[in-house]
Amino acid sequence: MKDSLYLAWRYLVHHRSKTLLLVLSLSIFLGLPLVMRAMSAVIQQSLMARAQSTPLLLGKSGSSLDLVVEALYFQPKGIEALTAADANEIDETGLAQAIPMRTGLMARQFPVVGTSLDYFSFRALKTADGRALATLGECVLGAEVATTLGLKPGDSLLTSPSALFDLAGVYPLRLHVVGTLEPSYGPDDRVVFVDVKTAWVAEGLGHGHQDLSTASGDVLLKRTDGTATANAKLVQYNEITDDNAESFHFHGDPAGYPVSAVIVIPSDDKAGVLLRGRFVNDSARQLLRPAQVVEGLNQQIFRFERVLQIIVWTVGLATALMFVLVMVLSWRLRAEELRTMARLGCGRWKAVQIMGAEVFLMVGTSVALAAFFGFVITHYGETWLQNLVLRGS
Amino acid sequence: MIDLRDVRFEYTQGGFSLCVPELRISAGTKAAAIGPSGSGKTTLLNVISGIACPDGGRVNTASVRVDSLSLAARRSFRIKTIGFVFQDFLLLDYLDVLENILYPYRLHHDLVLDADARARAQRLAADLGIDRLLRRSPDELSQGERQRVAIARALVTAPKLVLADEPTGNLDPATKQRTIDLLFDQCDALSMTLLMVTHDHGLLDRFDQVVDVSAFGGSEP
C-alpha cells in the first residue's frame, strides 16, 4: 500500500493544478454541509444563550424581533423609544430591577449604548483596564472596540453626527475613555458603553454652554427676570470636562427622555409572571421573553437551512459526478501507462490500489480541508456569523 | 532459457496466428528476432513472457511452464524474471530518473525496495552514464538518455531474461550503436539472456542467434 500511495502522491504532485482544482471542488462540496450545520448550531446556541440570560425585555409595541435584536445584540433596527418614566415604572413596582438601554448612536462604526452601572454587573462584564463609568462624558469600551480602534483609558473618541449636513443638528460629543472591558465573546465586545445621561447629551437632549449670567452684552439678545436669550455667538461645549461639567443641564422633564428598551430582571418567577400580566393588555408597550423571540428566529434559520441543504446536495451531486468524470478521463488518458504496468508484471489489484490511492489522497485532503475550515468558522467565526444573521433578520 | 514446443496462438478476434514448432534459446545467449512488420515478433515476446497465453503447445521460460500459470502467477513470474525494454521507452513523466529505474519495485510485493535495490540502481545508472541525471524528469532528457533509463529499469531487478522490443527503433545511428553496446555489456556482466526484436539487419552479426519470426507462419489480414 505504501508504494501505491507513493506513486499516487507523485502523480498528484506532478499534476498539481488539476489536483488542486479537484481537491478544492471536493472540499467545497464536503465542507458546505458541514459548515452550514456547524454555523446553524453555533448561531442558534450563541443567540439563545444571550436571550436566555435576559429574563424580560420592555419596549414599544411593534416587531418583537427588532426589539430583541437592537436591545440585546445592538444591531440598529430603528425601534421606537420608550421614556425614562417607563423604566421608573418598573422600578417602582418593587417586583423587578430595570436597566435602561439607549441605542441608536454610533462612534466610529461601533454602536454607543447608554445604560446604567447595573448592566455591567448583570452581564458580569469585568474591567480589563481603567475603571467603570463615574461622571457625564465618560465611556467604557468593549474589548473588540478597544483593540480595533487602538484606544485605552485616557484616550477619547467622537460620537458620529446623526445627520452630516444638518448644520442646526446635533454635533459630535467627545467621549473620554476611562476603561476597557475584558472580552466576553459576545455583542458587548463591540460596544461603546456610556451612561444613559451621556447618551442623551450626545443626542442633543442635554447640553452645556457659556454661563449666561456672566456673558457679555454682545452674546445676549434679551435678559428679563430669570430668563436670558443668547445669540449664535454663545459658546456651546462639545466635550464635558471638569471645568464645564457644571454647565451641562437638561431642559424639560428627564422622565420624558427616550429609552430604547428596558431590561427587566424580576426578583423571582412569581414577580415575572405578575409583571407580564400587567403588560398583556398594554397596546403601546410590550414586555416579552427574549428567549421566546429567539426561538422563533432559530426556527426560521432551521427552515432556511433545510432549503439550503437541498441546494447544496444538488450542487454536491454535480461536483461528485464531475470528479468521477475527470478521474475516468484521466485514467483513459493513462491507458498506455496501465498497459505498461501490466506488461512489467503489475497485478490487477495493485493497479486498482494505485488508482484508488489517488482518489483516497484527494478525498482525504478534501475532507481534512473541509473539517479544518468548519472548525475555524465554528470556533473563530461565531461573532461574524452572529452579525451576518442579525443584520439580515 | 527459452523452450517453445508446438506453440499455437491466435488472437480472439481472429486474423492473426502464430505457430512455433520449436524454438530454443540457451541461457546467456544474445538473440535477435527479425521479420517484417506484422509477422508476430511482439506476439512472440508476449507469449514467451506470459503476457499472452497460447492456445496450444508448451512455453518454458527460465525453467517455468509459463502457459500453465494463472494470470496472477504469470505477472509475478514476469516481474521477477524478465526485464522489458520498449521502443517508446514508456517512462513516467511524474517520476524522476531514479524513481523510473526503481519503478518495478513499486508494482509488486514480490520485489522489495531495499538498500541493495537502490545501490543496484545507482550502479546501473553509473554504468550507463546517466548517474548525473538521476533527479531529472524524463521530459528533460534526450532520446538516447531516455532509452538508457529504460534499459536500467529493465535490468534493475537482475532478471534472468531481457526482452527488448525494437529498443533502438527511435534512435539515431550513433546512439543506436552506443545503446546496443551498453545493453550487451550489461547482459554479459549480469549473465542475462537477451532476446531483442530488431529491423536493423546491420546489427545481426553481433548476436549469437537470429530467430526469423516470419518462419513461424505469422500472418495478418
Side-chain angles (χ1 to χ4, degrees):
Chain A
M1 193 64 199
K2 192 179 74 178
D3 292 321
S4 305
L5 280 170
Y6 179 79
L7 289 175
W9 168 250
R10 295 288 299 167
Y11 178 82
L12 296 176
V13 168
H14 186 77
H15 298 93
R16 51 181 75 87
S17 304
K18 184 188 86 174
T19 305
L20 194 67
L21 191 71
L22 284 173
V23 166
L24 283 177
S25 307
L26 275 181
S27 299
I28 293 168
F29 158 51
L30 293 168
L32 265 182
L34 281 176
V35 169
M36 262 177 48
R37 187 162 285 271
M39 269 171 67
S40 169
V42 164
I43 292 167
Q44 290 179 28
Q45 277 168 18
S46 62
L47 290 182
M48 190 49 100
R50 191 164 175 89
Q52 280 175 336
S53 68
T54 311
L56 294 170
L57 188 66
L58 179 68
K60 272 280 189 189
S61 293
S63 165
S64 53
L65 184 58
D66 283 356
L67 175 63
V68 169
V69 166
E70 181 155 342
L72 263 57
Y73 306 99
F74 311 123
Q75 298 291 330
K77 291 289 170 189
I79 56 172
E80 266 192 84
L82 299 164
T83 61
D86 294 311
N88 296 339
E89 185 186 328
I90 297 289
D91 273 333
E92 284 161 10
T93 62
L95 295 171
Q97 180 188 10
I99 301 175
M101 303 296 290
R102 182 57 181 154
T103 56
L105 281 168
M106 300 292 285
R108 292 174 66 181
Q109 311 302 319
F110 288 100
V112 175
V113 174
T115 185
S116 66
L117 286 175
D118 293 333
Y119 182 80
F120 297 93
S121 49
F122 168 63
R123 292 279 186 222
L125 298 174
K126 290 179 182 152
T127 308
D129 191 14
R131 59 171 173 79
L133 299 170
T135 61
L136 216 56
E138 293 179 345
C139 70
V140 168
L141 307 180
E144 193 182 318
V145 180
T147 309
T148 308
L149 301 181
L151 295 175
K152 58 186 185 309
D155 294 334
S156 61
L157 84 160
L158 287 172
T159 59
S160 307
S162 50
L164 187 61
F165 301 107
D166 181 7
L167 297 178
V170 181
Y171 290 95
L173 179 69
R174 185 178 296 279
L175 299 170
H176 301 286
V177 179
V178 295
T180 56
L181 298 174
E182 284 182 5
S184 63
Y185 307 102
D188 295 319
D189 288 348
R190 298 178 300 282
V191 170
V192 177
F193 288 105
V194 296
D195 184 80
V196 72
K197 285 181 182 164
T198 304
W200 289 335
V201 171
E203 287 182 63
L205 298 171
H207 64 163
H209 51 72
Q210 187 182 355
D211 186 1
L212 284 175
S213 61
T214 59
S216 58
D218 62 337
V219 171
L220 287 172
L221 288 176
K222 187 170 70 175
R223 188 193 295 274
T224 56
D225 290 343
T227 311
T229 308
N231 63 22
K233 278 189 178 175
L234 183 75
V235 177
Q236 297 252 8
Y237 304 122
N238 69 343
E239 181 178 6
I240 303 170
T241 63
D242 290 342
D243 295 335
N244 67 19
E246 294 281 314
S247 77
F248 274 84
H249 55 276
F250 297 93
H251 294 280
D253 181 8
Y257 284 1
V259 169
S260 306
V262 179
I263 292 174
V264 179
I265 309 162
S267 47
D268 52 34
D269 289 346
K270 185 181 169 189
V273 173
L274 285 171
L275 270 173
R276 294 192 72 193
R278 290 189 185 193
F279 285 89
V280 166
N281 294 322
D282 193 326
S283 59
R285 298 173 297 177
Q286 55 180 331
L287 183 66
L288 50 84
R289 282 181 55 229
Q292 218 167 13
V293 177
V294 171
E295 179 60 37
L297 175 65
N298 281 349
Q299 278 172 9
Q300 277 186 32
I301 294 172
F302 182 68
R303 274 195 291 272
F304 176 67
E305 185 193 334
R306 288 184 68 179
V307 174
L308 212 59
Q309 261 176 0
I310 293 169
I311 298 168
V312 165
W313 282 115
T314 311
V315 173
L317 185 67
T319 310
L321 288 174
M322 184 204 75
F323 179 76
V324 171
L325 180 70
V326 169
M327 293 310 291
V328 168
L329 288 176
S330 166
W331 289 325
R332 276 195 178 187
L333 286 172
R334 294 167 68 189
E336 187 64 49
E337 180 188 334
L338 294 174
R339 264 197 300 277
T340 305
M341 283 163 65
R343 291 171 77 179
L344 291 177
C346 175
R348 275 182 180 172
W349 172 235
K350 187 76 180 180
V352 170
Q353 260 188 8
I354 293 168
M355 291 187 285
E358 286 173 18
V359 175
F360 172 78
L361 284 176
M362 279 194 282
V363 172
T365 310
S366 305
V367 168
L369 265 179
F372 173 74
F373 284 119
F375 177 82
V376 168
I377 287 180
T378 49
H379 282 74
Y380 301 103
E382 186 178 338
T383 307
W384 175 75
L385 291 172
Q386 218 177 53
N387 282 345
L388 195 73
V389 170
L390 293 173
R391 278 192 192 122
S393 68
Chain B
M1 174 57 62
I2 298 171
D3 186 3
L4 272 63
R5 292 284 167 86
D6 301 324
V7 169
R8 283 176 290 106
F9 176 82
E10 191 170 350
Y11 284 108
T12 47
Q13 60 268 40
F16 177 84
S17 63
L18 185 73
C19 297
V20 186
E22 184 176 9
L23 172 65
R24 295 190 67 174
I25 298 173
S26 308
T29 301
K30 289 184 276 294
I34 58 168
S37 295
S39 59
K41 300 183 293 295
T42 300
T43 304
L44 179 64
L45 298 191
N46 287 347
V47 168
I48 290 169
S49 62
I51 292 172
C53 212
D55 302 316
R58 280 188 347 191
V59 178
N60 212 317
T61 306
S63 308
V64 173
R65 272 291 298 275
V66 177
D67 57 287
S68 62
L69 296 176
S70 67
L71 180 67
R74 289 205 305 272
R75 290 185 183 217
S76 172
F77 162 79
R78 204 152 62 232
I79 202 146
K80 286 186 291 187
T81 316
I82 302 172
F84 282 93
V85 186
F86 306 107
Q87 181 180 3
D88 297 329
F89 323 135
L90 300 176
L91 302 176
L92 301 179
D93 60 351
Y94 59 88
L95 299 178
D96 64 26
V97 166
L98 181 61
E99 288 164 336
N100 263 292
I101 294 172
L102 291 168
Y103 185 54
Y105 287 94
R106 304 273 185 196
L107 296 181
H108 207 287
H109 55 79
D110 283 348
L111 299 178
V112 180
L113 181 54
D114 54 14
D116 285 347
R118 290 183 188 279
R120 197 159 47 248
Q122 298 271 3
R123 202 165 47 244
L124 272 169
D127 291 346
L128 292 167
I130 50 171
D131 49 334
R132 67 198 157 77
L133 308 172
L134 291 179
R135 287 298 160 204
R136 295 255 194 100
S137 162
D139 294 342
E140 301 171 67
L141 306 182
S142 67
Q143 294 285 84
E145 288 168 336
R146 281 188 216 176
Q147 192 55 292
R148 278 184 272 165
V149 176
I151 290 169
R153 181 180 67 187
L155 303 180
V156 74
T157 56
K160 293 176 181 166
L161 172 66
V162 176
L163 298 178
D165 194 352
E166 297 188 55
T168 56
N170 285 336
L171 304 179
D172 61 77
T175 310
K176 189 182 294 182
Q177 287 297 340
R178 170 88 179 122
T179 303
I180 292 288
D181 289 344
L182 288 169
L183 189 55
F184 277 28
D185 289 348
Q186 289 301 318
C187 285
D188 286 338
L190 300 168
S191 307
M192 296 168 186
T193 305
L194 171 69
L195 176 57
M196 183 173 120
V197 170
T198 183
H199 283 289
D200 193 340
H201 287 225
L203 297 172
L204 294 183
D205 55 351
R206 300 190 59 182
F207 289 89
D208 304 322
Q209 184 179 344
V210 175
V211 179
D212 185 0
V213 179
S214 58
F216 297 145
S219 62
E220 269 185 332

